[in-house]
Amino acid sequence: MGSYAYISVDVAEHFFDDCHNQNNIEEAKRAFVKFMHMVLPSSREVIRRAKLEESEFLALIVLTFWFSDCLQMRDEIVKIGERYRQDVLKELQAHYREDLKLDDYALRVGELFTLIFNFDVGFLI
């Protein structure tokens, strides 16, 4: 997620400059720069169109990080992720109901999960 929000395509080639393992560093740089040129502009546009408020953006980061359903992880890590996701979704729903006075926020939560899927697909390109 940080790479979508903070790394500029212009500086992507320097991403590995302080890497301890310099084996295949040039190949890694080329692949990363290519990836950034392919994925970063469209991902930023998706986020821009979603018009996320700060709370939604932060929730999206947590949900993206702890969305481990398709990864092979130890059971205790998966349980921690499930708990964090549930906590974040409860807080987000409370924010929609109490702060924004929205009764029908299911569509918006669905949009957030669609963004998560976009990020997962972006990493697979």
Side-chain angles (χ1 to χ4, degrees):
M1 187 69 176
S3 62
Y4 289 108
Y6 301 111
I7 293 179
S8 166
V9 173
D10 300 334
V11 297
E13 67 182 70
H14 300 289
F15 187 76
F16 296 100
D17 285 354
D18 61 352
C19 182
H20 296 293
N21 183 352
Q22 293 292 312
N23 296 337
N24 299 325
I25 199 76
E26 292 306 315
E27 182 181 340
K29 283 182 182 182
R30 282 191 302 276
F32 188 64
V33 168
K34 180 181 176 184
F35 169 81
M36 295 301 284
H37 279 286
M38 287 174 36
V39 175
L40 189 62
S42 62
S43 297
R44 284 187 174 162
E45 182 56 30
V46 167
I47 291 174
R48 205 173 288 117
R49 274 187 276 138
K51 297 181 181 172
L52 300 174
E53 61 171 22
E54 183 179 355
S55 297
E56 290 175 312
F57 183 74
L58 295 173
L60 182 68
I61 291 172
V62 173
L63 292 171
T64 301
F65 183 76
W66 287 106
F67 203 85
S68 58
D69 292 352
C70 56
L71 301 176
Q72 293 181 346
M73 298 179 151
R74 295 190 326 245
D75 288 343
E76 57 267 19
I77 301 294
V78 171
K79 288 178 184 176
I80 290 169
E82 288 172 0
R83 189 179 75 230
Y84 286 160
R85 281 195 317 244
Q86 288 174 1
D87 290 347
V88 167
L89 285 172
K90 284 179 188 173
E91 290 289 328
L92 190 59
Q93 290 171 358
H95 172 64
Y96 287 143
R97 274 191 320 272
E98 297 164 15
D99 300 334
L100 301 180
K101 307 294 186 213
L102 296 175
D103 292 325
D104 187 19
Y105 48 82
L107 181 63
R108 189 61 175 171
V109 172
E111 287 179 306
L112 292 180
F113 277 93
T114 300
L115 288 173
I116 292 169
F117 177 74
N118 263 331
F119 296 130
D120 287 345
V121 169
F123 282 119
L124 297 175
I125 291 177

